[in-house]
Amino acid sequence: MTAPVHAGPRHAAKASVARSGAVMAAGSIVSRATGFVRSAVVVAALGTGLVGDGFTVANTIPNILYTLLIGGTLNAVFVPELVRAAKEHADGGKAYTDRLLTACTAALVAMTVLAVLAAPRIVDFYTDYTGAQRDLTVAFARYCLPQILFYGLFTLFGQVLNARGRFGAMMWTPVLNNLVVIAVFGLYLWTAGTSGSTLGATDTRVLGWGTTAGIVVQALALFPALTAARFRWRPRFDWRGSGITRPLRSAGWLVLLVLTNQAAYWVVTRLSTTAGQHAHDQGVAGGAGYTAYTNAYMLWVVPHGIVTVSILTALMPRMSRAAAEADPAAVRRDLSHGLRTSAAMIVPAACALLALAPWLMGAVFGYGRTSPADVTVMAGMLMAFAPGLIAFSGQYVLSRGFYALSDTRTPFVLNLVIAGCNAGLSALAYVLLPARWAVTGMAGAYSLALFAGWAVTAYTLDRRLGGGGLLRSPSLAAHGRLLVGCVPAALIGYATARAAEGLGDIAATGAGTAALLVVLALLARPLRLDGINDMIGKLRGGRGR
């Protein structure tokens, strides 16, 4: 039987996506690794007490505000808009891109100036600090808030590159950011010691501006890739009648989506800090508050950042082109491919996090001022987060299907399910559970909220795309077979880590991970785990299926 004419190009496109995803995943792995080194150096320099908390709050606020005000919009709206402009405009979308970049940069500058001026009020909103602690946090915030502008420029330029099929630079340049911060805090460690009990005005200024310098380097490092892509930005202010209001109208729904997420995040932050204080007052062993929640979340989200984000960043331009050509069947195929490909690594990762949490948390955070009780608390939270990783990844894939269709309203409505469940169930956990377990319950609440959101998103997108859709696609069966294989693999991994824990947390984590992977590899062929079999084939030098 003769193969379809389009099979060759389709296969080539999939190979191209796979190569792009691999490049981005490699960059993400290096970025995550240097990010953990960065976190370790910052903790070594400032500790986990009030000085460290003040810096962490101040350095997190720019990211929160950027994401809240414009970040989610840039990530989700720009690639479809730029792809559409390149297809429909006679100049390949050059003038449209220049106008859009100019308008967004102007907005970023205005937001950054207002944020710096409002630094004291912003700090008061997220904390109840007073006196010298408040002054220190406000000072750090004023040095860190300019990051909003450079976060935005990094995303703007990165989306221009993504729309042109160049994905690597955006994943690799954060490594430079991490190296700058490691150098700045390493120099402080070398010159000022490790006490972290006092911090002078000069030290605050150097550390604050040094942290912002890392984001500046990260943004500017994209210019060589832009030049290689033959892109040169010429600011244009002739916005009237240019069509840039369409993405801005779409962006309104994304702003509301981010706002609901941040509202739920604010609820969790307030409740977890209060629960942590109650646990401390009751003499509970181990920090059972916001810091433990944040550390567990940071480790939990790593597989998603390496795998799912890389795959969908590569798929997004192709899905956007298919949507622009009114080809829902191609969008369905790409979504199904994204679900299956990401699940092949995300499902085993979720099971590994669940089975190996005690040793994994000890290997990453069990140093310095972190006690075994602290590790135990964080491990419990990581275990509560772990199942939700599967839903988090699936929800991310499906939401990009709506964005490829230039629909931002539906993801906002669907996200209300996640945000509402997360806030409501977290409040329930705070009220019903003892202080020791309240924040662990909040981590579990987020997992439940993610599964609820994934289910309603799949149902809604299935109806939107039609044609037998996603609910009966091979992806659902692939997830089921992966779980059947991963459960016994995780149990054997846990038993192996338990047997090796006398050699230390790192050795136990390595042994448990190796055992899990070996069992999964043995089960891959009889269970028809195609994604795993493909990876095994490539490791053996074969082409894979």
Side-chain angles (χ1 to χ4, degrees):
M1 182 175 180
T2 306
V5 175
H6 65 273
R10 188 77 190 172
H11 177 77
K14 287 187 177 182
S16 175
V17 169
R19 285 193 298 269
S20 299
V23 170
M24 288 184 289
S28 184
I29 290 171
V30 177
S31 176
R32 299 281 178 173
T34 54
F36 281 125
V37 175
R38 164 185 168 149
S39 298
V41 173
V42 171
V43 170
L46 300 182
T48 57
L50 289 178
V51 172
D53 284 351
F55 171 79
T56 302
V57 169
N59 192 41
T60 303
I61 286 173
N63 206 340
I64 292 173
L65 293 180
Y66 159 71
T67 302
L68 176 63
L69 296 172
I70 199 170
T73 302
L74 299 184
N75 276 313
V77 170
F78 266 49
V79 168
E81 288 297 327
L82 296 180
V83 169
R84 183 177 289 105
K87 178 180 176 61
E88 297 176 354
H89 296 190
D91 65 348
K94 176 67 172 65
Y96 182 84
T97 302
D98 287 341
R99 293 186 186 102
L100 206 52
L101 287 175
T102 305
C104 290
T105 302
L108 285 165
V109 170
M111 292 173 190
T112 303
V113 171
L114 290 174
V116 171
L117 294 175
R121 292 183 179 275
I122 294 171
V123 169
D124 290 341
F125 179 75
Y126 281 96
T127 73
D128 58 357
Y129 292 154
T130 58
Q133 177 66 10
R134 179 181 182 273
D135 294 339
L136 174 67
T137 307
V138 170
F140 267 134
R142 284 192 167 126
Y143 300 133
C144 292
L145 281 167
Q147 294 173 19
I148 294 173
L149 171 61
F150 294 97
Y151 274 127
L153 291 176
F154 171 74
T155 304
L156 283 169
F157 296 146
Q159 296 305 320
V160 170
L161 289 170
N162 288 347
R164 285 164 168 73
R166 295 175 179 261
F167 306 102
M170 198 174 182
M171 290 295 183
W172 282 92
T173 50
V175 175
L176 300 177
N177 173 17
N178 292 332
L179 293 177
V180 169
V181 175
I182 290 169
V184 169
F185 279 82
L187 180 63
Y188 172 75
L189 266 174
W190 183 52
T191 59
T194 60
S195 65
S197 57
T198 59
L199 206 64
T202 301
D203 295 328
T204 304
R205 188 178 305 111
V206 169
L207 295 179
W209 282 124
T211 305
T212 297
I215 301 297
V216 175
V217 170
Q218 175 178 306
L220 299 183
L222 291 179
F223 275 95
L226 289 167
T227 301
R230 298 181 180 179
F231 174 78
R232 184 177 180 181
W233 175 31
R234 293 182 176 86
R236 297 187 60 154
F237 297 90
D238 53 337
W239 303 336
R240 185 182 297 274
S242 63
I244 66 170
T245 56
R246 183 177 66 179
L248 297 180
R249 284 195 300 269
S250 298
W253 291 108
L254 282 167
V255 170
L256 290 175
L257 184 150
V258 174
L259 183 60
T260 57
N261 281 339
Q262 290 302 319
Y265 175 81
W266 183 84
V267 169
V268 171
T269 300
R270 284 290 184 176
L271 293 179
S272 61
T273 52
T274 304
Q277 184 64 54
H278 290 165
H280 178 270
D281 294 342
Q282 295 171 16
V284 173
Y290 177 66
T291 299
Y293 184 97
T294 302
N295 287 342
Y297 180 90
M298 182 175 70
L299 198 56
W300 170 77
V301 81
V302 166
H304 171 79
I306 292 174
V307 178
T308 312
V309 173
S310 299
I311 291 171
L312 264 294
T313 302
L315 274 175
M316 193 66 184
R318 197 170 82 185
M319 286 197 299
S320 300
R321 283 191 290 270
E325 294 167 359
D327 187 358
V331 176
R332 281 197 306 273
R333 286 194 298 268
D334 285 337
L335 287 171
S336 182
H337 173 70
L339 285 169
R340 294 195 311 274
T341 306
S342 60
M345 289 174 275
I346 289 296
V347 174
C351 292
L353 292 176
L354 181 64
L356 306 177
W359 304 281
L360 185 58
M361 295 303 287
V364 176
F365 295 107
Y367 308 100
R369 302 182 186 183
T370 305
S371 69
D374 294 325
V375 172
T376 300
V377 172
M378 290 188 290
M381 293 181 189
L382 181 60
M383 293 172 73
F385 273 127
L389 182 64
I390 300 170
F392 188 53
S393 174
Q395 164 73 13
Y396 185 91
V397 172
L398 296 182
S399 66
R400 267 55 196 171
F402 287 109
Y403 297 147
L405 297 168
S406 297
D407 178 2
T408 55
R409 179 181 178 275
T410 303
F412 161 71
V413 175
L414 295 172
N415 191 69
L416 292 175
V417 175
I418 299 175
C421 288
N422 187 26
L425 292 174
S426 294
L428 198 63
Y430 174 79
V431 171
L432 297 180
L433 297 177
R436 161 65 178 84
W437 295 102
V439 183
T440 303
M442 294 178 200
Y446 187 47
S447 287
L448 291 175
L450 287 169
F451 276 104
W454 188 24
V456 297
T457 301
Y459 176 78
T460 306
L461 187 58
D462 185 53
R463 291 175 61 87
R464 174 72 176 271
L465 292 175
L470 297 166
L471 293 180
R472 291 185 292 277
S473 74
S475 12
L476 190 60
H479 277 75
R481 291 196 302 273
L482 276 167
L483 284 172
V484 170
C486 285
V487 169
L491 290 173
I492 293 175
Y494 171 82
T496 305
R498 187 70 179 267
E501 64 183 354
L503 301 175
D505 290 328
I506 295 177
T509 301
T513 302
L516 186 151
L517 293 176
V518 168
V519 173
L520 192 58
L522 292 174
L523 294 175
R525 187 173 294 279
L527 291 177
R528 295 185 295 113
L529 306 181
D530 294 338
I532 305 296
N533 286 322
D534 286 348
M535 287 186 283
I536 293 173
K538 290 174 183 176
L539 288 174
R540 289 174 175 172
R543 293 178 57 190
R545 295 201 321 180

